[in-house]
Every structure is written in C-alpha cells, then in structure tokens.
Amino acid sequence: MNNRNYNIYFHTHTVSGIVISVILFVIFFAGSFSFFRDEINNWERNESTALTNEIQLDYNKALNKLDKEYILHGRNITISKPSNERRVAVYLEGTRDTLAPAKQKEGSFFYLDTKTFKTFTYEQSYSLGEFLYRLHFLAQIPYPVGYYLSGFVALFFLFAIVTGVLLHWKKIVSNFYIFRPKEKLKTLWTDAHTALGMIGLPFQFVYAVTGAFFMIKLLIVAPAVMTLYKGDQSKLYKELEYTDPDYKFDNKKLATPFNIDQLVAKAKSNWKDFEITRVFIQNYGDANMHVLVEGEMLSNKKFTGIGKVVYRISDGKEIAKKNPITQNNYLDVVKNVLYRIHFGDYGGYALRIVSFVLGIITCFVIISGVMIWLVARQKNNLPEKKRRFNAAVVRIYLAICLSMYPITALAFIGAKIFYPLSQSNLFSLYFGGWLLLTLFFILKKNDAFTNKFCLLSGSILGFLIPITNGIVSGNWFWNSFMQNHIQVFFVDVFWIVLASITLYISFTLKSKKAVS
C-alpha cells in the first residue's frame, strides 16, 4: 500500500473512531445488556414466564374484562407479544360506530398481564430492561434526534471498520497472533485493539449495518416515497405488507356467538411448531367482524416462517391463509432476517451470552483505540498545552464510558428496592448518578484511578444485586432455580459471574507509565 492510501485510511479510521467513540461505547454497552431485556424485566417484577414467543392468554376472559372497561364494540383490537414477558401489548383503535360517545372513539395502548388481566400504561410498565434497550439507540434524546444520531454513529462505525481492515490488511494475520503486554504502553494498546478488533469484526460489522438500517432507514425510504409513490406513504406500507386487510364496518350487531380461543387454537393446529404471536380483531362485535391470527415457526425449524389465517366470524369461514412453510417470499426474508440477526433471538441463551461478550469486547476495542490516540499524542515534541488538552479529552471520554458499569449495577439495585420505580425516577437515578460519577472522575484527573474504581465499585454492586433480590423478594437464586424461574435465576447468576470477572481484573491491573 502506498503512503497516500495508507494516510487516507489511517486518518479516516482515526477521525471517524474518535468522533463517535463515546456514543458508540454507550450504544454497545447498553446494547450488550439489551440482549437480556426480557430477563431483566422479569427479574425486576419477580415474575416468571415460559421461554416462548407465543401469546399465552385466555382471550375470551381478557376481552370480556376489557369490554366492561372500554366498550369494545366497533373497535379494531391488536394483541401482540413484543417480548418474552408475562404481559402482552394491546392496542384498541377508536370505535367505528359514528353514534358512539366521543370517549369510545379514542384509541388506547396498554400492557395486559396474562394471569391477572391487570392493565398497565407504557409509563407504568416502564422497566430497567426497557430503559437499557432504549438507551442503546439513544431514545431518551427527543425523537427523532436520538434515533438519527445513533444511526449515523453506526454508519460512521462502519467506515471505521472498513478503513481499519484496509489499514491492517497486509499484517492482519500476523498481528492477530501478537500480544505483548510487557512492552511499552502504545504497543500494549495497539496489540489489544488489533487482536480484539479482529475477533469481534463479524459481530461489529453486522451491528454497524443493521443498526444504521434501523435508525436511518426513514431517510433512505423518504426519497422513494416522494418519487415512486408520489408521497403516498400508505401505498408503500401496503406493498411492504406492513398493513392489515381492511374490512368494512357494517354497523350491525353480530348475531353469531364467537370464541376467539377456539379460532386461535384452530389456526395453531394448521402447522406443527407454529407459535401465535399476534391476534388482530377487526370490527369487534359487528356483523362484518374478522379475526386475523398471525404467528411464526420456531426459529430452529425455519429461520423465517411467518404465517397467518383470517376468519370471518359471521359464518366461521377461513377466507385467507398464508402458509409459513411454503409461502414466505423474498420480502418476508428481508424484513425478518435483519431483525433476527440484530436481536439474536434465534439461538437461545448461548447466542445471547456470546453476543454480550462480543459487545463488551467491542467496548474495550473502542477504549483501546482512544488510548492509542492519546499515547501517540503525548510526545515531548508537542507543546505542553496541547498534550494537556489531549489528556483532558481522553479523561472525559474515560469518565463517561467507564462509569456506566457501576451506575448500571446501582440501577439494578435501585429498581429492585424501590419497585416499581417510575420512569422519571429511573431517569434521575441513572443519569443523575452517571453525571455525578463522571464529574468526580474528571475532577480527580487520574485515569488509572477511574478505571480501577469503576471496576471495583461495579463488582461490589454487582455482587449486591442477587443479595438485594433475595432480601427484597425472598427469591434467592437457588430458590429460583428449584422453582424453574429461569429468567430470574439467570440475572442473579449473570451478575455473580460478571462481578467476579471484573473484580479479578481490578486486582490484576497494574498501572503503566506512558512512554514519552
């Protein structure tokens, strides 16, 4: 590679990496915990559910209860299971009956407990798992700024990955096997950055591409809507099969009795290993009432297997069907595969644990890249003022990034002790504590102290998490295991293992003097 190309790749890799480093660290750190969002939510609520994506609900009882509270006649009702929890999401559209009171014409969204049938608003159902999941794409920043910011960070990360590979291409194999922890500081950081960067390369590439797609796809789709569909967004959604069939509201009371549970069971019996994930009821109680039952094949049977059945209630006939085994087209694959590989929901705990480890490795790669940048700019031939500025920049970076570990552990303890912790209080605890820790480390002006303190305090708090859960709920991790509450058991043991590793690392760290 000639010098000109090398310099282009080097500076592009360095600048793109440094500019996005803090936000990228936040995305990957929070994203790593997001692989266990459902487990964290169930742990916080001390609930347990079967490890399945299928809705497990007595539909008739649930609808009868909701009918008393909301009056369902003429409404479109969507019941879905977005996550592996005891609660399902329910969206009630306003009634189509023009003579109904104004209140019935209002839509409602809430979560429904499948055992108690108690309803929760989004704010009431907000949890630590949801918080960390949304933090990994910066949703706490007002929409759409946070979404676009995370999307463009993912895009810049893709540039950093590609330029990094091009930069190290000739030595990519030989450098992978080299690790010299006893050499000078720059060598140590460079070896760690290169070796761990290569280990996590496929993982990082996948998440850079899918992350950018999810967050900034609107900017990609907008020109197509304006040119190909002349601004008709609904037509695009229809062609992409994001909309359901629309059946006319007859404004006549349905004379035929109906049983939603039987219809769901009938749809499920069509295919073996088929799980019901969504039920859409249109024109509830009307003569033209229809029920759409949608689901998917188990991922270990068919990676993309989305099926659905539509029933007309007046005569009980099946008027439409999509076979999840034989009728999935290219569009279904494209829509489903990107989500599957991003969320890692098809390989069980093994895949998610590996993904968590690779996410944390990526966090270390980000930090090591910043440290390489600092060490390379601490030479004696640079003015003292500039060296102090570079050190201050990295000090701020490290303070923000490393303090995420203890504050996340503290948030787990707070979420359990003060359950249910409201959304605003969770924000205050997490962001307020994060800010205080960051300011403390910046004023301390000691990067080695920041690193060791965060690892040590995070480890201690991590060990306190299962203890707190045991004291507050009485559900010690061995009891959870014996009662087959796997999700609650997993979170407790996960923190014991993670805290043990970070505690060991904190005691083995030896500060190295920067080479001038």
Side-chain angles (χ1 to χ4, degrees):
M1 183 187 301
N2 60 53
N3 287 336
R4 182 176 180 275
N5 287 343
Y6 180 88
N7 287 332
I8 290 172
Y9 297 146
F10 178 81
H11 290 296
T12 304
H13 180 74
T14 303
V15 171
S16 60
I18 291 295
V19 167
I20 65 173
S21 59
V22 171
I23 298 177
L24 193 63
F25 185 97
V26 172
I27 289 172
F28 269 98
F29 189 87
S32 297
F33 280 89
S34 298
F35 286 115
F36 310 115
R37 174 181 61 170
D38 302 343
E39 283 75 14
I40 295 169
N41 290 345
N42 287 316
W43 175 88
E44 183 181 343
R45 297 166 184 160
N46 199 32
E47 296 176 351
S48 186
T49 184
L51 299 176
T52 175
N53 293 322
E54 185 165 46
I55 299 173
Q56 296 179 320
L57 174 69
D58 187 323
Y59 293 91
N60 294 330
K61 282 186 178 179
L63 290 169
N64 287 336
K65 180 184 181 300
L66 293 176
D67 193 24
K68 293 175 183 177
E69 186 175 351
Y70 293 95
I71 305 179
L72 301 181
H73 179 76
R75 293 181 185 265
N76 292 345
I77 306 165
T78 303
I79 302 173
S80 60
K81 189 178 181 183
S83 53
N84 195 355
E85 301 173 28
R86 214 170 77 178
R87 301 176 187 182
V88 293
V90 179
Y91 174 55
L92 306 179
E93 294 183 31
T95 182
R96 293 183 171 187
D97 185 352
T98 54
L99 299 178
K103 189 175 181 181
Q104 293 179 34
K105 295 178 183 179
E106 297 174 358
S108 298
F109 175 83
F110 51 85
Y111 292 96
L112 177 73
D113 190 304
T114 56
K115 288 189 177 181
T116 64
F117 302 119
K118 185 178 179 181
T119 59
F120 304 86
T121 64
Y122 176 77
E123 289 75 18
Q124 291 170 336
S125 194
Y126 200 83
S127 60
L128 180 57
E130 179 74 3
F131 172 84
L132 291 170
Y133 167 70
R134 298 185 71 79
L135 179 61
H136 103 276
F137 53 89
L138 311 180
Q140 284 82 1
I141 299 174
Y143 179 84
V145 177
Y147 282 45
Y148 289 160
L149 180 58
S150 61
F152 281 110
V153 165
L155 193 61
F156 275 105
F157 183 47
L158 187 60
F159 292 153
I161 292 170
V162 173
T163 53
V165 170
L166 292 172
L167 194 63
H168 298 291
W169 184 254
K170 285 189 176 180
K171 297 181 179 179
I172 213 162
V173 175
S174 60
N175 282 11
F176 178 75
Y177 294 99
I178 295 175
F179 189 66
R180 298 159 286 185
K182 295 183 180 180
E183 293 292 330
K184 61 183 180 180
L185 193 59
K186 184 182 178 183
T187 303
L188 169 63
W189 286 121
T190 303
D191 287 348
H193 186 75
T194 305
L196 293 175
M198 283 306 303
I199 290 172
L201 181 62
F203 171 86
Q204 293 158 13
F205 183 83
V206 164
Y207 280 86
V209 172
T210 56
F213 170 77
F214 291 143
M215 293 298 104
I216 58 176
K217 63 183 175 185
L218 183 61
L219 298 179
I220 301 171
V221 170
V225 173
M226 297 305 296
T227 55
L228 299 178
Y229 297 92
K230 297 180 180 178
D232 189 352
Q233 184 175 303
S234 59
K235 187 177 180 181
L236 171 66
Y237 287 155
K238 186 176 181 180
E239 291 198 12
L240 291 177
E241 298 181 9
Y242 281 120
T243 56
D244 294 303
D246 188 21
Y247 298 99
K248 184 183 175 184
F249 178 69
D250 282 352
N251 203 17
K252 296 177 183 177
K253 193 171 182 180
L254 178 68
T256 311
F258 58 89
N259 188 316
I260 302 299
D261 287 298
Q262 287 183 359
L263 292 176
V264 171
K266 185 179 178 182
K268 181 177 173 61
S269 67
N270 280 288
W271 305 285
K272 186 181 178 183
D273 301 317
F274 185 68
E275 294 186 325
I276 307 300
T277 57
R278 180 172 172 265
V279 174
F280 175 60
I281 304 170
Q282 193 169 79
N283 303 323
Y284 185 91
D286 185 69
N288 200 30
M289 176 177 170
H290 288 72
V291 175
L292 181 150
V293 183
E294 185 176 314
E296 57 188 17
M297 301 295 293
L298 291 173
S299 57
N300 61 340
K301 301 295 181 180
K302 198 171 191 297
F303 194 74
T304 298
I306 300 170
K308 60 182 74 173
V309 185
V310 179
Y311 297 101
R312 186 169 55 212
I313 302 302
S314 58
D315 56 11
K317 285 187 177 180
E318 179 185 292
I319 62 171
K321 180 192 283 188
K322 181 176 182 178
N323 191 312
I325 302 171
T326 61
Q327 290 183 292
N328 273 225
N329 53 28
Y330 175 76
L331 181 61
D332 293 312
V333 174
V334 170
K335 288 194 298 183
N336 194 50
V337 166
L338 288 176
Y339 282 93
R340 277 270 160 103
I341 63 177
H342 188 85
F343 290 107
D345 63 350
Y346 55 90
Y349 278 116
L351 177 63
R352 287 190 285 156
I353 290 170
V354 169
S355 297
F356 175 85
V357 171
L358 289 172
I360 297 301
I361 285 176
T362 303
C363 291
F364 184 81
V365 170
I366 296 165
I367 291 292
S368 60
V370 172
M371 296 309 296
I372 291 170
W373 179 85
L374 173 64
V375 174
R377 281 155 183 77
Q378 291 297 82
K379 296 176 181 177
N380 287 332
N381 59 351
L382 285 175
E384 179 66 21
K385 186 177 180 181
K386 195 167 186 178
R387 281 194 286 164
R388 283 206 306 268
F389 174 78
N390 293 338
V393 169
V394 172
R395 187 182 309 122
I396 295 169
Y397 277 19
L398 292 178
I400 295 171
C401 296
L402 297 180
S403 55
M404 280 194 78
Y405 180 44
I407 202 61
T408 299
L410 181 64
F412 272 80
I413 295 172
K416 177 57 72 171
I417 293 176
F418 301 107
Y419 179 81
L421 194 62
S422 67
Q423 182 178 359
S424 59
N425 287 336
L426 181 56
F427 279 24
S428 299
L429 172 64
Y430 198 97
F431 291 124
W434 192 5
L435 177 62
L436 290 174
L437 272 179
T438 300
L439 292 175
F440 171 68
F441 294 134
I442 291 173
L443 296 174
K444 182 69 177 175
K445 297 183 179 180
N446 188 326
D447 294 343
F449 173 84
T450 299
N451 192 18
K452 187 144 190 170
F453 183 92
C454 288
L455 287 172
L456 190 58
S457 61
S459 301
I460 294 170
L461 291 169
F463 283 122
L464 290 175
I465 289 170
I467 296 173
T468 303
N469 183 36
I471 294 172
V472 172
S473 68
N475 201 8
W476 297 92
F477 66 87
W478 53 85
N479 293 332
S480 301
F481 181 77
M482 296 297 291
Q483 295 167 11
N484 202 33
H485 295 170
I486 300 301
Q487 292 171 312
V488 178
F489 167 77
F490 176 83
V491 172
D492 283 341
V493 173
F494 167 82
W495 270 108
I496 292 171
V497 173
L498 181 60
S500 300
I501 293 171
T502 52
L503 184 65
Y504 173 77
I505 294 171
S506 70
F507 283 119
T508 55
L509 283 177
K510 292 181 180 179
S511 60
K512 285 178 173 281
K513 292 182 180 179
V515 177
S516 57

